[in-house]
Amino acid sequence: MIKNYFKIAYRNLMRNKGFSFINIFGFALGIFVCIIITLYVYDDITFDRHIEEPENVYRVVSNDNSKDWISAVTVGPLYPLLTDEIPEIEAATRIGGYGTRIKRADIEVPDSMSIFRRAMLTDSEFFGVFKPHILSGEKENPLSEPNAVYLTQETAEAIFGEEDPLGKALDMTYVENGYVAGIVENNPFNSHMQYGAIITLDVSINPMWFDSWENLTLTGFIRVKDDIIPEEVENKIISVARANNMTMMFTPVLQPLLDMHLKSSELRYDAFNRFKSDSSVVYSLIAIAILVLLVASVNFINLSSARASKRGKEVGIRKVVGANRGQLSLQFLTESIMLTFIAMVIAISALEISLPHLQTFMNKQLDFNMFQSVIFLPGLLLVSIIIGLLSGIYPSLAISSYKPVNTLKGELKSGKKGTFLRRGFVVIQFSISISLILGVLIVISQLNYLEQRDFGYSKENIVVVPSFDENITLQSDLFKERVLDIPAVNSASRSRQM
């Protein structure tokens, strides 16, 4: 019986190729867009979720009492005091990040073989706060030596290839006689902690900045114990800061780690919070995904219902030869679910093909493996079944109830209820479509405004050359002179940071 249902469904599909193409690919396109937006949103809401017990980690930011704004940095000497004076805090760390040049020092390697990575300047408490997985090397007392360097898997492979890097010497910026003390796991792309190496923060390099109670220069984090009240810990941090004469201009404030990515749009000097977004963007994308799927579903249901009403004579003949109402209803539902499954397969195939290009366009690494997710594949199957049932319920109940004599005479009428239902769906579909189109036009006009806005300086023909080598920094006058010798360069300048 079931085999016969699928055979009839296939014949109807082939008999009405134009209708089938429009119906299936229209729904597939809606599913495709919805999946992309879902992956984008999922990437945002799972930011930093790879960290162990992320709900216990807080960033210490600074409220500027004179200008009513919040800076993402704070004073450096605050953190060594926190674990001793506040029992609720398990670990506290301060970090700085710089581009660095790294190459092997155990064998003769030309400078051209150097690689450039972002280095995390921090202390041993970094491993207590973020608990990165140390794959090999010193695990008990990380960064206990000033020249100890921890490399990520990717960085170690780029420098040493298949060789064991532990204990081998490194030539790198900010570290004298550096050696590989350990290898840590690579951070995922949806994390604000992006680095290739972890090295010890030496405050003696610049005590005016790193060890001053008056300058906001370093980013700091704490890990608290379970079931604490954040407001109480925050008040204790403020007390420690005031007891050590931290300037009254700034007040330490706690920000949950899981709020960093989507709730930091107003923060200044937020250099570590890479690729940050905003919660309003996420909510807007969720609404768009729902509306797009709703439009595709309504369109699919409308077309399926309209086409089903043309099959009155088929229903009449099948009733004459003995088919009952339940069998006819099951036939329409089978056909409808079959179409939704075909649309789902097309949408997933299109996603697999286009995802690498979409990742470049959206500047995100979106992981998509429907067989590894315990939610994704069942969710898609559930959506397909629901849409298939909704699109097949009306024709299966309405048409299968008609009398054979009337259907064979061509006296099939959908009735006022059926007409009203389809018209209502059309109104909903067009209303949502028009709203989405207007939204797109508004966004385009805003982007055009931003592109044409006069920012007060010339942006054209300016090239930024980041410095990863301290020798270039120290000899910046020479570097600038050499750059000016290039015929294509009209002028050159230097800046501490962009």
Side-chain angles (χ1 to χ4, degrees):
M1 182 67 71
I2 298 296
K3 180 180 178 182
N4 185 55
Y5 289 159
F6 279 105
K7 185 183 294 185
I8 295 173
Y10 175 76
R11 288 174 178 173
N12 278 307
L13 193 68
M14 293 295 99
R15 189 180 300 117
N16 305 285
K17 294 184 177 64
F19 159 78
S20 301
F21 177 84
I22 294 173
N23 207 14
I24 292 174
F25 279 88
F27 188 50
L29 182 60
I31 295 177
F32 173 72
V33 173
C34 191
I35 293 175
I36 293 172
I37 295 177
T38 301
L39 292 176
Y40 190 98
V41 170
Y42 182 78
D43 182 82
D44 273 343
I45 63 178
T46 57
F47 230 79
D48 292 322
R49 291 281 179 177
H50 70 287
I51 296 172
E52 183 179 333
E53 296 179 331
E55 65 278 359
N56 288 346
V57 180
Y58 292 82
R59 178 168 64 165
V60 183
V61 297
S62 300
N63 186 25
D64 191 324
N65 302 315
S66 64
K67 299 177 180 177
D68 194 27
W69 68 44
I70 299 177
S71 299
V73 288
T74 187
V75 294
L78 175 66
Y79 297 91
L81 305 175
L82 295 181
T83 51
D84 293 332
E85 301 196 22
I86 304 177
E88 293 90 343
I89 296 179
E90 286 186 2
T93 187
R94 49 191 169 172
I95 59 177
Y98 297 91
T100 183
R101 171 189 51 80
I102 314 175
K103 70 174 184 177
R104 300 183 64 163
D106 57 327
I107 60 175
E108 193 70 28
V109 175
D111 289 340
S112 59
M113 295 295 291
S114 299
I115 66 171
F116 299 94
R117 293 294 186 272
R118 184 179 178 86
M120 194 71 70
L121 279 69
T122 185
D123 47 51
S124 60
E125 289 291 300
F126 176 85
F127 291 84
V129 174
F130 293 102
K131 300 183 178 183
H133 185 203
I134 301 176
L135 302 175
S136 59
E138 177 58 43
K139 299 181 181 180
E140 298 298 326
N141 298 296
L143 296 182
S144 57
E145 300 292 336
N147 56 343
V149 179
Y150 283 76
L151 301 177
T152 61
Q153 287 175 283
E154 182 274 330
T155 303
E157 291 173 2
I159 298 173
F160 297 98
E162 298 296 326
E163 296 182 42
D164 183 6
L166 291 179
K168 292 186 177 177
L170 292 171
D171 178 6
M172 64 183 298
T173 316
Y174 307 115
V175 181
E176 290 187 11
N177 302 318
Y179 72 96
V180 181
I183 306 297
V184 299
E185 197 173 39
N186 295 329
N187 269 331
F189 193 77
N190 63 337
S191 172
H192 74 278
M193 284 291 176
Q194 298 295 329
Y195 52 82
I198 305 173
I199 60 180
T200 303
L201 173 64
D202 185 2
V203 296
S204 64
I205 295 177
N206 195 339
M208 181 180 296
W209 286 93
F210 296 160
D211 203 28
S212 170
W213 287 93
E214 297 182 355
N215 293 319
L216 305 179
T217 56
L218 294 172
T219 302
F221 296 86
I222 63 171
R223 177 178 284 275
V224 300
K225 298 177 181 179
D226 294 332
D227 302 322
I228 62 95
I229 301 175
E231 291 77 13
E232 293 182 359
V233 176
E234 184 176 277
N235 291 332
K236 291 183 178 181
I237 293 175
I238 295 174
S239 298
V240 172
R242 297 293 179 244
N244 288 274
N245 298 319
M246 179 179 174
T247 174
M248 296 296 293
M249 183 182 298
F250 304 115
T251 301
V253 178
L254 292 184
Q255 180 190 33
L257 173 70
L258 298 180
D259 285 353
M260 278 184 58
H261 181 63
L262 297 177
K263 297 181 180 181
S264 299
S265 57
E266 78 284 0
L267 266 62
R268 299 166 61 88
Y269 310 115
D270 199 8
F272 270 100
N273 200 357
R274 303 183 69 194
F275 314 120
K276 67 180 179 180
S277 184
D278 192 87
S279 55
S280 61
V281 174
V282 172
Y283 296 143
S284 299
L285 288 174
I286 292 174
I288 291 172
I290 293 173
L291 292 175
V292 168
L293 185 60
L294 183 59
V295 168
S297 302
V298 168
N299 182 70
F300 184 84
I301 293 171
N302 268 345
L303 289 175
S304 298
S305 300
R307 188 63 196 174
S309 64
K310 304 293 184 182
R311 297 170 61 182
K313 290 186 178 181
E314 174 193 339
V315 172
I317 292 174
R318 295 187 65 190
K319 276 196 170 187
V320 168
V321 297
N324 57 44
R325 186 174 182 182
Q327 292 173 328
L328 291 172
S329 297
L330 189 58
Q331 171 66 50
F332 280 105
L333 290 175
T334 301
E335 291 183 18
S336 183
I337 293 175
M338 177 179 163
L339 292 180
T340 58
F341 272 105
I342 294 173
M344 183 186 71
V345 171
I346 293 173
I348 293 175
S349 302
L351 183 66
E352 289 283 2
I353 296 171
S354 62
L355 194 58
H357 307 287
L358 291 171
Q359 289 182 142
T360 303
F361 173 73
M362 295 185 292
N363 196 26
K364 278 182 178 288
Q365 291 184 358
L366 303 177
D367 293 326
F368 174 71
N369 190 327
M370 62 179 180
F371 298 107
Q372 289 182 355
S373 174
V374 296
I375 298 176
F376 188 82
L377 184 58
L380 277 180
L381 292 174
L382 182 61
V383 169
S384 298
I385 292 173
I386 291 174
I387 300 302
L389 290 175
L390 289 176
S391 61
I393 280 176
Y394 169 71
S396 66
L397 295 179
I399 299 177
S400 62
S401 65
Y402 294 135
K403 295 179 179 180
V405 175
N406 293 334
T407 55
L408 291 174
K409 288 181 178 180
E411 297 175 357
L412 182 65
K413 297 181 180 179
S414 60
K416 293 183 178 179
K417 290 184 178 179
T419 304
F420 178 79
L421 183 64
R422 286 199 298 271
R423 287 177 178 176
F425 278 149
V426 170
V427 171
I428 293 173
Q429 179 183 354
F430 275 89
S431 299
I432 296 174
S433 301
I434 292 171
S435 299
L436 290 174
I437 292 171
L438 289 176
V440 169
L441 293 176
I442 292 172
V443 170
I444 291 174
S445 66
Q446 290 295 306
L447 291 175
N448 290 336
Y449 172 77
L450 288 174
E451 290 178 354
Q452 298 169 6
R453 174 74 173 174
D454 182 9
F455 287 98
Y457 67 94
S458 174
K459 304 185 296 294
E460 290 73 24
N461 301 326
I462 297 177
V463 177
V464 179
V465 183
S467 171
F468 285 96
D469 195 324
E470 62 182 356
N471 294 324
I472 292 179
T473 304
L474 295 174
Q475 302 173 12
S476 53
D477 288 331
L478 177 60
F479 180 76
K480 179 180 176 181
E481 291 173 5
R482 295 288 176 86
V483 170
L484 288 171
D485 288 339
I486 301 174
V489 175
N490 292 330
S491 61
S493 182
R494 51 193 170 132
S495 172
R496 182 177 179 273
Q497 63 181 13
M498 289 300 294

